[in-house]
Amino acid sequence: MPVEMIGWIAPRVSSEIIPATGPVFDADVIAYTAHVHEDAGFDRVLIGYFADAPDGFLVGARAAQVTDRLGFLLAHRPGFVSPTVAARKLATLDQLTDGRLAVHLIAGGSPVDQAKDGDHTDHAARYRRLTEYAEVLRRTWTETAPFDHSGEFYDIQGAYAEIRCKQSPYIPMFGGGGSDAAIAALAPFADTFMLWGEPLADTTAFMMRVTAAAANHNLRPNFSLSTRPILAETDDQAWDRAHQILADIHRIRGDAPPPTRHNEGSKRLLAAAARQDVHDVCLWTKLAEATGAAGNSTALVGAPDTVADALAEYYKIGASSLLIRGYDPLRDAEQYGAELIPLIRERIAAIDADAA
């Protein structure tokens, strides 16, 4: 199948090596970033969720206003908005974007971040809540008459929405997480399970666990793989750039240790880093180690051909979506469009042709 390329959009430009400056919500930055990704050939962009960040629904609305083809993957945490309200908001945005929306449901990996919004639900309960939330979302999008729902977290009577998704029967639903609880919670509904960039063998084993859990619900999810490509004209030049990024992270952090991460996905990345610095051909774990594995933080380092080959290997084991985000977000997105994405599509077309 054709690979889906996913990028990243935010209301201002920043990264681990670029301190955020300017307005917290900059409509011009959102518009420019959206244009860069659409012109670079990305299929969709992820809009992140943070407890101190601007509202992602409005970031997506602004980006949709200035683009024609680019899709949006909106991160959304269950628990802070009623699922019936969220269903109407998401359906409205899907109509506004003419069917270009997907939702990424995240239970939340940090108790500290959850507490900022007043949520003190424990890890296991957050995932049980996510499953129930997704069930109510789907029913709100599809039920043709008012319905009741009585569960552990939601007690709803007479729910019904006049607004429906532009896409039928509803927008694609993504999810992710590294724990057994995450797999169990997402298995009944996830169209696409999102993974961070682990070594190929670890990724294959994790995909098998997810696939087995989903099979119990007669589902077979797609997979999305997230990495941070670092490109240059040659492999050696790319490694020079990678080591400069690592030095910049250490310089900015100073003597402070990396923050401790509580979620299983980060622990998995740190475990891979503890085993060795480079896995497979060019998966580099030092940046995950340096940042405490704060989300998508392992890098694929090399010339465009090298990195395209590495990403094609993830496609071969089942990753039909590839999320790539750079440490210099706009410059890297432009470079990916000019030098990397065409090579990835060529390689995957060849893989599909051989399989056929």
Side-chain angles (χ1 to χ4, degrees):
M1 67 177 70
V3 67
E4 180 181 57
M5 300 303 305
I6 306 177
W8 169 269
I9 194 168
R12 59 178 173 175
V13 177
S14 66
S15 76
E16 294 86 343
I17 62 171
I18 301 176
T21 58
V24 172
F25 184 92
D26 191 324
D28 291 337
V29 167
I30 295 169
Y32 183 71
T33 305
H35 281 304
V36 165
H37 282 81
E38 187 162 70
D39 292 345
F42 284 87
D43 298 293
R44 152 180 342 267
V45 287
L46 173 64
I47 304 168
Y49 184 106
F50 306 95
D52 55 359
D55 181 70
F57 283 84
L58 298 182
V59 173
R62 172 57 176 161
Q65 182 184 37
V66 298
T67 53
D68 299 314
R69 180 193 55 78
L70 189 66
F72 306 98
L73 177 56
L74 179 65
H76 179 73
R77 283 186 191 171
F80 304 109
V81 178
S82 164
T84 54
V85 175
R88 298 195 302 273
K89 287 166 61 70
L90 289 162
T92 303
L93 188 55
D94 193 44
Q95 291 287 345
L96 183 66
T97 62
D98 197 27
R100 290 186 278 155
L101 183 65
V103 64
H104 175 32
L105 294 178
I106 47 177
S110 166
V112 173
D113 206 44
Q114 295 293 118
K116 291 178 182 178
D117 280 328
D119 182 36
H120 302 280
T121 309
D122 65 36
H123 177 271
R126 288 201 300 271
Y127 277 107
R128 295 197 307 275
R129 180 174 63 188
L130 184 149
T131 302
E132 187 176 340
Y133 196 92
E135 178 187 348
V136 177
L137 281 180
R138 288 190 302 185
R139 293 193 68 185
T140 307
W141 287 329
T142 58
E143 293 282 2
T144 58
F147 69 91
D148 298 338
H149 171 89
S150 181
E152 180 181 0
F153 300 95
Y154 301 103
D155 187 5
I156 298 165
Q157 289 88 42
Y160 180 76
E162 291 185 355
I163 182 75
R164 298 303 169 105
C165 300
K166 175 74 172 180
Q167 299 167 83
S168 180
Y170 45 78
I171 66 175
M173 300 175 75
F174 288 59
S179 65
D180 290 338
I183 294 173
L186 295 167
F189 73 86
D191 299 304
T192 299
F193 199 105
M194 300 193 76
L195 311 170
W196 289 335
E198 298 184 51
L200 286 164
D202 294 352
T203 304
T204 299
F206 194 85
M207 286 177 169
M208 291 176 65
R209 290 171 56 198
V210 173
T211 300
N216 292 328
H217 302 274
N218 297 314
L219 297 175
R220 184 175 181 84
N222 298 315
F223 290 96
S224 175
L225 192 284
S226 302
T227 59
R228 308 288 290 274
I230 299 174
L231 304 181
E233 185 174 350
T234 68
D235 287 345
D236 287 343
Q237 290 171 343
W239 281 106
D240 288 343
R241 184 181 170 209
H243 284 104
Q244 183 58 57
I245 290 171
L246 179 62
D248 289 342
I249 289 174
H250 284 302
R251 173 180 54 79
I252 292 169
R253 194 182 74 209
D255 295 330
T260 301
R261 304 295 169 182
H262 300 278
N263 60 298
E264 290 300 318
S266 293
K267 292 177 182 178
R268 290 173 63 87
L269 295 188
L270 293 174
R275 295 202 306 270
Q276 60 195 69
D277 292 348
V278 180
H279 292 262
D280 305 320
V281 174
C282 63
L283 181 72
W284 195 40
T285 62
K286 291 294 287 184
L287 295 174
E289 184 179 68
T291 59
N296 174 18
S297 53
T298 51
L300 292 172
V301 183
D305 277 317
T306 300
V307 174
D309 287 341
L311 285 167
E313 291 302 311
Y314 285 107
Y315 177 82
K316 287 179 182 178
I317 64 172
S320 56
S321 295
L322 301 172
L323 191 156
I324 53 177
R325 175 167 66 98
Y327 286 89
D328 189 347
L330 295 181
R331 174 188 173 276
D332 286 343
E334 291 173 338
Q335 185 181 30
Y336 297 158
E339 301 176 15
L340 182 60
I341 291 176
L343 293 179
I344 294 170
R345 295 197 189 281
E346 287 177 7
R347 280 159 173 72
I348 287 172
I351 292 168
D352 289 345
D354 288 343

PDB file of all heavy atoms in Angstrom, residues 295-307:
ATOM      1  N   GLY A 295       9.375  11.455  24.365  1.00  0.00           N
ATOM      2  CA  GLY A 295       8.623  11.253  23.134  1.00  0.00           C
ATOM      3  C   GLY A 295       9.493  10.700  22.025  1.00  0.00           C
ATOM      4  O   GLY A 295      10.481   9.989  22.250  1.00  0.00           O
ATOM      5  N   ASN A 296       9.129  11.040  20.813  1.00  0.00           N
ATOM      6  CA  ASN A 296       9.844  10.608  19.612  1.00  0.00           C
ATOM      7  C   ASN A 296      11.246  11.205  19.644  1.00  0.00           C
ATOM      8  O   ASN A 296      11.421  12.398  19.401  1.00  0.00           O
ATOM      9  CB  ASN A 296       9.051  11.086  18.383  1.00  0.00           C
ATOM     10  CG  ASN A 296       9.776  10.822  17.077  1.00  0.00           C
ATOM     11  OD1 ASN A 296      10.686  10.008  17.013  1.00  0.00           O
ATOM     12  ND2 ASN A 296       9.352  11.517  16.035  1.00  0.00           N
ATOM     13  N   SER A 297      12.268  10.391  19.932  1.00  0.00           N
ATOM     14  CA  SER A 297      13.594  10.961  20.199  1.00  0.00           C
ATOM     15  C   SER A 297      14.760  10.142  19.689  1.00  0.00           C
ATOM     16  O   SER A 297      15.915  10.514  19.911  1.00  0.00           O
ATOM     17  CB  SER A 297      13.759  11.206  21.705  1.00  0.00           C
ATOM     18  OG  SER A 297      13.474  10.036  22.444  1.00  0.00           O
ATOM     19  N   THR A 298      14.517   9.013  19.012  1.00  0.00           N
ATOM     20  CA  THR A 298      15.612   8.287  18.386  1.00  0.00           C
ATOM     21  C   THR A 298      15.763   8.773  16.947  1.00  0.00           C
ATOM     22  O   THR A 298      14.777   9.100  16.292  1.00  0.00           O
ATOM     23  CB  THR A 298      15.375   6.774  18.398  1.00  0.00           C
ATOM     24  OG1 THR A 298      14.068   6.497  17.878  1.00  0.00           O
ATOM     25  CG2 THR A 298      15.489   6.217  19.803  1.00  0.00           C
ATOM     26  N   ALA A 299      17.000   8.816  16.469  1.00  0.00           N
ATOM     27  CA  ALA A 299      17.290   9.402  15.163  1.00  0.00           C
ATOM     28  C   ALA A 299      17.770   8.340  14.180  1.00  0.00           C
ATOM     29  O   ALA A 299      18.454   7.387  14.562  1.00  0.00           O
ATOM     30  CB  ALA A 299      18.354  10.491  15.299  1.00  0.00           C
ATOM     31  N   LEU A 300      17.413   8.530  12.919  1.00  0.00           N
ATOM     32  CA  LEU A 300      18.022   7.788  11.823  1.00  0.00           C
ATOM     33  C   LEU A 300      19.018   8.730  11.165  1.00  0.00           C
ATOM     34  O   LEU A 300      18.640   9.797  10.685  1.00  0.00           O
ATOM     35  CB  LEU A 300      16.969   7.324  10.822  1.00  0.00           C
ATOM     36  CG  LEU A 300      15.999   6.255  11.331  1.00  0.00           C
ATOM     37  CD1 LEU A 300      14.880   6.021  10.327  1.00  0.00           C
ATOM     38  CD2 LEU A 300      16.730   4.950  11.630  1.00  0.00           C
ATOM     39  N   VAL A 301      20.289   8.348  11.144  1.00  0.00           N
ATOM     40  CA  VAL A 301      21.367   9.255  10.751  1.00  0.00           C
ATOM     41  C   VAL A 301      22.025   8.756   9.475  1.00  0.00           C
ATOM     42  O   VAL A 301      22.439   7.597   9.395  1.00  0.00           O
ATOM     43  CB  VAL A 301      22.417   9.365  11.872  1.00  0.00           C
ATOM     44  CG1 VAL A 301      23.512  10.364  11.488  1.00  0.00           C
ATOM     45  CG2 VAL A 301      21.764   9.782  13.183  1.00  0.00           C
ATOM     46  N   GLY A 302      22.138   9.647   8.474  1.00  0.00           N
ATOM     47  CA  GLY A 302      22.850   9.259   7.265  1.00  0.00           C
ATOM     48  C   GLY A 302      22.489  10.114   6.076  1.00  0.00           C
ATOM     49  O   GLY A 302      21.694  11.055   6.163  1.00  0.00           O
ATOM     50  N   ALA A 303      23.070   9.765   4.949  1.00  0.00           N
ATOM     51  CA  ALA A 303      22.682  10.371   3.685  1.00  0.00           C
ATOM     52  C   ALA A 303      21.240   9.970   3.368  1.00  0.00           C
ATOM     53  O   ALA A 303      20.728   8.979   3.908  1.00  0.00           O
ATOM     54  CB  ALA A 303      23.632   9.918   2.578  1.00  0.00           C
ATOM     55  N   PRO A 304      20.567  10.717   2.502  1.00  0.00           N
ATOM     56  CA  PRO A 304      19.165  10.375   2.206  1.00  0.00           C
ATOM     57  C   PRO A 304      18.956   8.926   1.796  1.00  0.00           C
ATOM     58  O   PRO A 304      17.972   8.294   2.216  1.00  0.00           O
ATOM     59  CB  PRO A 304      18.817  11.352   1.078  1.00  0.00           C
ATOM     60  CG  PRO A 304      19.668  12.551   1.363  1.00  0.00           C
ATOM     61  CD  PRO A 304      20.966  11.990   1.869  1.00  0.00           C
ATOM     62  N   ASP A 305      19.856   8.362   0.981  1.00  0.00           N
ATOM     63  CA  ASP A 305      19.713   6.962   0.574  1.00  0.00           C
ATOM     64  C   ASP A 305      19.751   6.026   1.779  1.00  0.00           C
ATOM     65  O   ASP A 305      18.972   5.073   1.871  1.00  0.00           O
ATOM     66  CB  ASP A 305      20.817   6.581  -0.410  1.00  0.00           C
ATOM     67  CG  ASP A 305      20.488   6.981  -1.844  1.00  0.00           C
ATOM     68  OD1 ASP A 305      19.345   6.771  -2.266  1.00  0.00           O
ATOM     69  OD2 ASP A 305      21.382   7.514  -2.524  1.00  0.00           O
ATOM     70  N   THR A 306      20.670   6.287   2.698  1.00  0.00           N
ATOM     71  CA  THR A 306      20.812   5.437   3.879  1.00  0.00           C
ATOM     72  C   THR A 306      19.547   5.470   4.736  1.00  0.00           C
ATOM     73  O   THR A 306      19.031   4.428   5.169  1.00  0.00           O
ATOM     74  CB  THR A 306      22.016   5.895   4.714  1.00  0.00           C
ATOM     75  OG1 THR A 306      23.205   5.815   3.918  1.00  0.00           O
ATOM     76  CG2 THR A 306      22.174   5.048   5.963  1.00  0.00           C
ATOM     77  N   VAL A 307      19.037   6.677   4.981  1.00  0.00           N
ATOM     78  CA  VAL A 307      17.861   6.820   5.837  1.00  0.00           C
ATOM     79  C   VAL A 307      16.618   6.268   5.139  1.00  0.00           C
ATOM     80  O   VAL A 307      15.770   5.633   5.777  1.00  0.00           O
ATOM     81  CB  VAL A 307      17.671   8.291   6.244  1.00  0.00           C
ATOM     82  CG1 VAL A 307      16.365   8.483   7.006  1.00  0.00           C
ATOM     83  CG2 VAL A 307      18.858   8.742   7.094  1.00  0.00           C
TER      84      VAL A 307
END
